[in-house]
């Protein structure tokens, strides 16, 4: 059995209002987002909504501040020797309405949550689940088609939080006022668990503000909030404004996809060689240099090098070609397109606003113009030929990257052959054969040129040095409950 310590600190809303001084009172936190942050239902959550859902709707397991899996509704679990079954024992607690947490209700809620993910890459990540069944009153078993070492990490995702009568079981309660909210961790006795000594004295509330990133940074600089969560590359330049923020910027060690996804496989982009011309034209070193982030490396690979399942058989592209040679080849393909009676290519890209996005746009425009392609920008939610993708991997394995490019998720430009290799890999018993098939799948998807890699994503936060409960983690978002533990 695996057991992790569980802490259930909480305070009443009145304590939040009565606190005198930041050391005794609530912790002010700014979460980058908008109204969508409070729309925590459904399969496609905004990053801010993921944070709030994880805080208020527990799954079988969850994450701690460092991104490690910890107990949720299940307080312990075992994995069978063959890795094909996970058995969870639920805590002896209650739902918000006071009814007991039972395996039957947990199984029904988990099946419903997974069914709601249909059509998403996360659904593909969970496709290896054969069945979820009740073993005893408080015991749930998940049987797999083949071993999945990342199942616990997947079950800890916010989308796998379990609802009872459309409500979650915490660990935090939320009282909303417009785009602000007070979050307090639910006392253990209200969850049907033993009370903790000095519970109120060991905990604090969070005063949460959901706001645009510019306002959040200003609030931090002016001393009104102690934490800013949810920074991405589109706003990265804001993190360096003013002397106050420089020493408080925290970068997460994430991997994932940061590049251009082809969303309209027509016209100039109908041919793989022309889509490759875009990839050839990008000067990745110059683009990354505009941000001046140490250790940030460019890539031409779909899968991050060194993840589980990567044999290294697929390397960086065009290593023997200088940037000038790459651009010459791209320009030749554009010239061939025009010689066939077509107009000069004009390609649109959908991307978020922000100073970081502007830097990316300026570099891409210059790179594409150098080979005869005009690039225009449209708003993030608009239809476009390309979309700037900025996604953090949910687990560190090649399958996550390949599922993002599956034809079930990316219908405009994809590789059916790559999908077939991926399916074969997931069914392979031999680890070497599995990795080899994953390499073949990556090669096929790379050749389709439906995704143009640039680098790994960047995620940043602002955190004052005296704040506890924060730790950089590989998933790039930060669970709120640890912030509610009062520092000793």
């Amino acid at each position: 059995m695996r057991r992790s310590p569980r802490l259930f600190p909480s305070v009443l809303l009145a304590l939040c209002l009565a606190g005198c001084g930041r050391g005794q009172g609530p912790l002010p936190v700014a979460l980058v987002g908008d109204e969508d942050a409070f729309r925590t239902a459904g399969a496609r959550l905004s990053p801010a909504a993921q944070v709030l859902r994880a805080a208020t709707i527990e799954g079988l397991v969850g994450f701690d501040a460092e991104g490690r899996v910890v107990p949720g509704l299940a307080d312990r679990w075992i994995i069978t020797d063959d890795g094909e079954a996970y058995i969870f024992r639920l805590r002896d607690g209650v739902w918000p309405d006071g009814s007991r947490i039972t395996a039957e209700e947990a199984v029904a809620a988990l099946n419903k949550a997974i069914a709601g993910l249909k059509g998403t890459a996360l659904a593909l990540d969970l496709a290896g689940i054969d069945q979820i069944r009740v073993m005893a009153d408080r015991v749930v078993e998940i049987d797999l088609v083949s071993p999945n070492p990342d199942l616990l990490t997947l079950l800890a995702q916010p989308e796998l939080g379990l609802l009872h009568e459309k409500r979650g079981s915490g660990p935090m309660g939320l009282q909303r006022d417009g785009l602000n909210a007070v979050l307090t961790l639910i006392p253990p006795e209200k969850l049907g668990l033993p009370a903790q000594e000095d519970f109120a004295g060991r905990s604090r509330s969070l005063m949460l503000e959901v706001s645009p990133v510019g306002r959040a940074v200003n609030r931090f600089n002016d001393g009104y909030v102690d934490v800013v969560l949810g920074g991405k590359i589109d706003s990265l330049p804001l993190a360096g404004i003013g002397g106050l923020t420089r020493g408080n910027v925290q970068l997460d060690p994430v991997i994932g996809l940061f590049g251009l996804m082809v969303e309209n496989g027509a016209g100039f982009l109908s041919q793989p060689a022309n889509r490759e011309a875009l990839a050839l034209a990008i000067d990745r070193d110059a683009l990354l240099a505009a941000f001046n982030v140490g250790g940030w490396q460019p890539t031409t690979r779909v899968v991050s090098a060194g993840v589980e399942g990567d044999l290294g058989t697929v390397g960086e592209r065009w290593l023997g070609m200088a940037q000038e040679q790459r651009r010459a080849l791209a320009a030749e393909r554009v010239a061939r397109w025009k010689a066939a009676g077509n107009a000069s290519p004009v390609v649109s890209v959908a991307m978020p606003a922000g100073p970081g996005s502007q830097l990316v746009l300026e570099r891409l425009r210059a790179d594409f113009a150098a080979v005869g392609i005009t690039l225009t920008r449209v708003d993030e939610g608009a239809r476009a030929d390309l979309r700037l993708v900025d996604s953090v991997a949910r687990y560190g394995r090649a399958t996550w990257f390949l599922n993002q490019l599956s034809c079930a998720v990316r219908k405009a430009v994809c590789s059916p052959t790559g999908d077939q290799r991926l399916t074969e890999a997931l069914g392979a018993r031999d680890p070497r054969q599995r990795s080899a098939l994953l390499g073949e799948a990556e090669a096929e998807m790379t050749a389709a040129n439906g995704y143009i890699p640039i680098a790994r994503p960047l995620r940043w936060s602002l955190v004052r040095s005296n704040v506890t409960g924060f730790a950089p983690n590989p998933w790039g978002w930060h669970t709120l409950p640890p912030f509610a533990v009062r520092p000793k």
Side-chain angles (χ1 to χ4, degrees):
M1 290 284 183
R2 300 185 179 185
R3 188 188 297 269
S4 298
R6 185 178 183 88
L7 189 63
F8 296 92
S10 179
V11 286
L12 299 175
L13 178 59
L15 176 63
C16 165
L17 300 176
C20 52
R22 196 162 290 179
Q24 297 299 320
L27 178 71
V29 176
L31 180 62
V32 175
D34 54 26
E35 185 77 20
D36 286 343
F38 297 97
R39 298 189 178 103
T40 57
R44 292 172 173 82
L45 304 177
S46 70
Q50 288 182 316
V51 173
L52 292 183
R53 182 178 172 101
T56 57
I57 305 175
E58 279 187 305
L60 291 177
V61 293
F63 290 123
D64 67 6
E66 297 180 8
R68 298 171 299 195
V69 174
V70 294
L73 293 177
D75 59 11
R76 66 191 76 178
W77 55 85
I78 60 173
I79 305 171
T80 57
D81 290 341
D82 61 7
E84 294 186 1
Y86 286 65
I87 302 171
F88 298 87
R89 183 172 181 82
L90 304 178
R91 70 179 187 232
D92 189 11
V94 297
W95 297 105
D97 64 1
S99 61
R100 290 184 65 247
I101 297 173
T102 65
E104 183 177 359
E105 290 181 330
V107 167
L110 184 55
N111 278 322
K112 184 175 181 179
I114 292 174
L117 296 171
K118 185 177 181 181
T120 68
L122 183 54
L124 298 180
D125 295 327
L126 294 163
I129 293 178
D130 182 32
Q131 64 174 332
I132 306 170
R133 56 198 180 103
V134 175
M135 292 286 290
D137 182 51
R138 290 193 291 121
V139 181
V140 173
E141 179 173 327
I142 300 179
D143 297 324
L144 305 176
V145 176
S146 59
N148 182 354
D150 300 297
L151 182 65
L152 289 174
T153 301
L154 289 167
L155 292 175
Q157 300 300 318
E159 291 86 347
L160 273 297
L162 304 186
L163 293 169
H164 173 76
E165 302 294 334
K166 298 183 179 181
R167 295 177 63 190
S169 61
M172 303 189 88
L174 182 151
Q175 292 191 10
R176 180 185 175 189
D177 180 11
L179 291 180
N180 298 328
V182 177
L183 289 106
T184 57
L185 284 160
I186 299 171
E189 59 269 23
K190 289 190 176 182
L191 298 174
L193 298 169
Q196 287 186 358
E197 185 179 356
D198 192 26
F199 184 73
R202 299 172 58 201
S203 57
R204 60 185 174 189
S205 291
L206 306 183
M207 294 291 291
L208 186 77
E209 305 176 6
V210 177
S211 67
V213 64
R215 183 179 188 276
V217 171
N218 289 337
R219 295 277 289 171
F220 185 91
N221 285 339
D222 293 340
Y224 291 107
V225 299
D226 289 345
V227 179
V228 175
L229 302 175
K232 301 170 68 174
I233 192 173
D234 58 338
S235 56
L236 183 62
L238 296 177
I241 292 177
L244 260 177
T245 59
R246 288 196 193 101
N248 298 302
V249 178
Q250 298 283 342
L251 291 176
D252 289 303
V254 300
I255 56 175
L257 301 180
F258 178 70
L260 300 173
M261 194 73 70
V262 178
E263 298 217 331
N264 178 19
F268 180 75
L269 298 179
S270 63
Q271 301 173 16
N274 290 347
R275 298 193 292 268
E276 186 186 26
L278 301 183
L280 286 161
I282 299 173
D283 186 341
R284 292 165 178 79
D285 289 324
L287 191 156
L288 270 58
F291 290 88
N292 194 28
V293 175
W296 196 25
Q297 298 295 320
T299 188
T300 57
R301 284 194 60 182
V302 169
V303 175
S304 289
V307 299
E308 291 290 331
D310 176 31
L311 289 178
T313 53
V314 179
E316 296 290 335
R317 304 176 78 181
W318 318 300
L319 287 178
M321 299 175 65
Q323 185 63 52
E324 293 78 9
Q325 293 174 301
R326 297 182 188 182
R327 282 191 174 168
L329 180 57
E332 178 184 325
R333 293 178 183 176
V334 173
R336 189 180 307 138
W337 170 261
K338 293 168 63 177
N342 298 301
S344 296
V346 177
V347 177
S348 61
V349 60
M351 59 195 310
S357 296
Q358 187 61 34
L359 287 175
V360 173
L361 180 63
E362 289 172 359
R363 289 304 320 172
L364 292 177
R365 274 180 172 162
D367 291 341
F368 289 173
V371 299
I373 300 171
T374 299
L375 181 66
T376 63
R377 177 193 174 274
V378 299
D379 290 339
E380 186 176 17
R383 297 182 62 180
D385 301 313
L386 306 172
R387 188 169 302 278
L388 184 66
V389 173
D390 187 0
S391 301
V392 174
R394 294 186 188 246
Y395 57 96
R397 199 171 294 271
T399 48
W400 180 87
F401 296 84
L402 302 177
N403 281 339
Q404 302 300 304
L405 307 183
S406 166
C407 294
V409 177
R410 307 290 179 185
K411 303 185 185 302
V413 176
C414 63
S415 171
T417 303
D419 278 8
Q420 180 60 37
R421 296 291 87 78
L422 177 57
T423 299
E424 293 169 1
L426 296 177
R429 296 284 179 173
D430 180 76
R432 295 287 297 183
Q433 182 188 15
R434 179 187 177 99
S435 293
L437 287 167
L438 289 174
E440 292 179 23
E442 182 185 356
E444 293 289 346
M445 293 181 183
T446 300
N449 291 295
Y451 170 67
I452 301 168
I454 295 175
R456 64 177 176 85
L458 287 178
R459 293 294 183 270
W460 62 268
S461 304
L462 295 177
V463 186
R464 299 198 195 281
S465 59
N466 62 342
V467 170
T468 58
F470 178 92
N473 71 71
W475 316 127
W477 64 274
H478 300 274
T479 185
L480 296 178
F483 289 107
V485 181
R486 192 181 299 282
K488 295 181 179 179

